[in-house]
Amino acid sequence: MAIIRTQVGIVGAGPAGLMLAHLLHLQGIESVVLESHSRPYVESRVRAGVLEQGTVDMLRESGIGGRIEREGLQHHGVELRFGGEGHRIDFQDLVGKSITVYAQQEVVKDLIAARLRYDEPIFFEAEAMRVSDFESRPRIHYAQDGSENEIACDFLAGCDGFHGMCRPAVAAGQIKFYERQYPFAWLGILARVPPASDELIYTYHERGFSLMSMRSPEISRLYLQCAVDEDIANWPDERIWEELQMRMATHDGFALKDGPIFQKGITPMRSFVAEPMQFGKLFLLGDAAHIVPPTGAKGLNLAVADVRVITRGLVEFYKSGNREELERYTERCLRRVWRGQRFSWWMTSMLHRFPGEDGFSHHIHLAELGYVTSSRAASTSLAENYVGLPFDTPGLF
Ligand code: RFL
Ligand code: PHB
């Protein structure tokens, strides 16, 4: 059995684990990243698409922004569509910021490439089986190529997503969960067809929510609300296009063009927060600690915000032995996480049809959307949350 010593042991090579490893490297702090899947698998996993301006700035300032700048699609607003009409929320005019559409797996590719370029340890197909001693001298026990190995570290970063093993390793009495499940899911597709608009379109319709997003000038990313236990086999391509066309139709004849679908999947919707996010020397980051429904486009951005907070704490600790920032990790992260939760829950509630809704609820949805799109105060509130609230931790660079 091999034992590797490092300063920070990181479980998971998603956006949280990779970004943390990258920032630590820039600050001269050693880490080892373990990832249970293969490199091609994590580099092709289809997920998020919207990056807040603060997330893009952080990638750029840390030297990772080259490809985002060239290939990312900068958007200055979004459309909310309901009652057969579109209403634009102009981020630039309302809050002077924008968002960037750039696929999560591209961020993951950029961060893995950086890790390999500076020749720092990242092990794929290496599954953490157990974490131990995180109150004293943390250890990660992992399996790779049929053998069991160990990482001994000063700190342990649980960046292993919602279904990971770090959060369950905490004793039941030490952790509290807050949770909401939603009675619907999203069916998402990627299609080889130019996006029907230059900006995202979020649609509320009596048949349910839909969203038009994109990945490039040739590729559309679309979602539609479906039943929570939906079987993807019930959704042949023609039915998906027909449903999207009905939901997105406008009085002035908007036409959503169809095209070959090359990826399909169903995503459940959940709000979840674990508290605290630190247990001795074990820290939980990103989806391992909190999940939001994707309607607010916040999950990856919140993961990266956690990375920012913990990096400051670790830099402070290794520079001066001062643990103050590390001790405030949960408090600092959760303040932002709860704001992201509120915004994601609100967008989800406003834009989806809940089972059993009647005419009264329908008119409440329409009234709320009408208010949000006609009041400058309400539009500004949506815009400032969507583009990302300011960080309350001073910059890292
Ligand atoms: P990840 O990405 O789940 O990465 C965790 C990694 O840990 C690995 N792992 C292990 N490795 C070793 N040993 C073990 N025992 C392990 N157990 C797990 C896993 O293989 C994996 O590689 O978590 P992270 O880094 O916290 O990142 C979070 C984001 O992935 C997530 O919040 C976003 O994808 C959410 N999300 C969106 N976020 C946004 O900010 N903007 C969006 O537009 C947006 N759209 C979305 C989304 C998520 C979606 N789905 C599919 C859930 C749209 C969708 C449809
Ligand atoms: C995406 O492009 O995948 C996307 C965009 C906006 C969301 C969620 C996902 O709210």
Side-chain angles (χ1 to χ4, degrees):
M1 185 181 74
I3 299 185
I4 300 174
R5 246 226 72 81
T6 190
Q7 290 177 302
V8 183
I10 300 176
V11 185
L18 290 167
M19 189 73 200
L20 175 61
H22 173 59
L23 294 189
L24 292 179
H25 168 75
L26 295 182
Q27 302 287 343
I29 299 170
E30 277 177 16
S31 65
V32 174
V33 183
L34 295 179
E35 167 57 49
S36 52
H37 287 101
S38 67
R39 180 176 174 196
Y41 180 91
V42 295
E43 289 188 342
S44 57
R45 190 165 41 193
V46 177
R47 282 199 171 170
V50 172
L51 307 182
E52 293 174 355
Q53 187 161 319
T55 302
V56 174
D57 291 346
M58 200 164 148
L59 289 162
R60 201 182 39 234
E61 285 160 19
S62 69
I64 296 286
R67 207 155 64 89
I68 294 191
E69 224 148 282
R70 289 192 305 279
E71 296 173 26
L73 307 167
Q74 204 185 9
H75 288 192
H76 301 301
V78 283
E79 180 179 324
L80 297 185
R81 187 173 286 189
F82 54 98
E85 276 177 29
H87 305 259
R88 182 164 188 262
I89 305 282
D90 186 333
F91 299 150
Q92 204 62 44
D93 170 47
L94 293 163
V95 293
K97 288 188 182 170
S98 53
I99 51 128
T100 299
V101 176
Y102 187 71
Q104 175 168 331
Q105 73 267 28
E106 302 304 320
V107 176
V108 163
K109 277 183 203 161
D110 294 345
L111 287 166
I112 291 175
R115 185 88 185 151
L116 297 174
R117 204 163 45 239
Y118 44 67
D119 204 21
E120 290 284 338
I122 175 164
F123 305 146
F124 293 99
E125 297 175 73
E127 184 174 5
M129 312 299 287
R130 195 160 62 81
V131 290
S132 64
D133 307 298
F134 43 84
E135 298 292 345
S136 51
R137 303 172 65 80
R139 281 173 187 265
I140 309 172
H141 309 262
Y142 70 99
Q144 191 179 25
D145 298 330
S147 68
E148 255 212 42
N149 300 305
E150 226 174 88
I151 292 176
C153 44
D154 301 338
F155 296 98
L156 216 164
C159 305
D160 50 348
F162 184 67
H163 300 287
M165 43 75 69
C166 290
R167 191 182 65 247
V170 176
Q174 290 183 26
I175 189 165
K176 195 168 167 180
F177 305 126
Y178 301 89
E179 192 167 10
R180 279 275 179 287
Q181 308 246 17
Y182 297 85
F184 39 74
W186 277 15
L187 190 163
I189 60 163
L190 280 170
R192 209 166 302 284
V193 59
S197 155
D198 292 341
E199 291 177 343
L200 271 60
I201 306 173
Y202 287 83
T203 306
Y204 167 78
H205 191 277
E206 270 182 293
R207 299 181 66 86
F209 168 80
S210 68
L211 168 62
M212 199 250 11
S213 179
M214 62 206 65
R215 287 295 177 266
S216 72
E218 295 80 39
I219 302 217
S220 297
R221 173 81 166 142
L222 294 129
Y223 298 97
L224 59 87
Q225 175 183 351
C226 63
V228 73
D229 54 357
E230 194 68 74
D231 181 353
I232 196 103
N234 293 331
W235 287 88
D237 297 3
E238 312 73 61
R239 182 176 173 207
I240 294 176
W241 286 118
E242 205 181 303
E243 191 62 42
L244 285 167
Q245 277 151 357
M246 274 193 277
R247 295 186 193 185
M248 300 193 77
T250 60
H251 296 317
D252 59 7
F254 169 86
L256 181 69
K257 272 215 339 233
D258 60 15
I261 295 177
F262 60 94
Q263 201 268 349
K264 266 190 219 181
I266 291 184
T267 306
M269 309 275 280
R270 177 187 268 127
S271 304
F272 174 90
V273 178
E275 184 190 5
M277 290 169 58
Q278 64 197 104
F279 311 88
K281 293 168 182 163
L282 166 65
F283 292 81
L284 300 178
L285 288 87
D287 279 14
H290 41 77
I291 292 278
V292 285
T295 330
K298 286 279 159 271
L300 183 156
N301 294 292
L302 288 173
V304 165
D306 293 348
V307 170
R308 196 182 166 94
V309 177
I310 200 171
T311 304
R312 262 189 77 80
L314 291 168
V315 169
E316 197 66 36
F317 173 78
Y318 282 113
K319 229 174 37 197
S320 62
N322 182 352
R323 286 177 186 265
E324 228 166 89
E325 278 295 320
L326 282 178
E327 275 157 16
R328 297 186 65 189
Y329 174 72
T330 295
E331 176 203 331
R332 282 200 190 283
C333 292
L334 285 188
R335 194 161 38 226
R336 187 177 188 84
V337 165
W338 276 114
R339 297 207 176 154
Q341 288 289 355
R342 195 234 24 117
F343 178 68
S344 304
W345 162 85
W346 173 72
M347 287 284 280
T348 304
S349 310
M350 176 169 70
L351 287 162
H352 290 74
R353 288 285 288 186
F354 287 68
E357 281 197 354
D358 55 10
F360 181 86
S361 325
H362 176 56
H363 282 284
I364 293 290
H365 284 288
L366 294 178
E368 182 153 30
L369 284 157
Y371 172 60
V372 163
T373 51
S374 61
S375 151
R376 190 168 174 95
S379 307
T380 305
S381 168
L382 189 152
E384 76 175 335
N385 279 280
Y386 197 92
V387 301
L389 294 170
F391 292 111
D392 65 355
T393 44
L396 278 169
F397 303 100

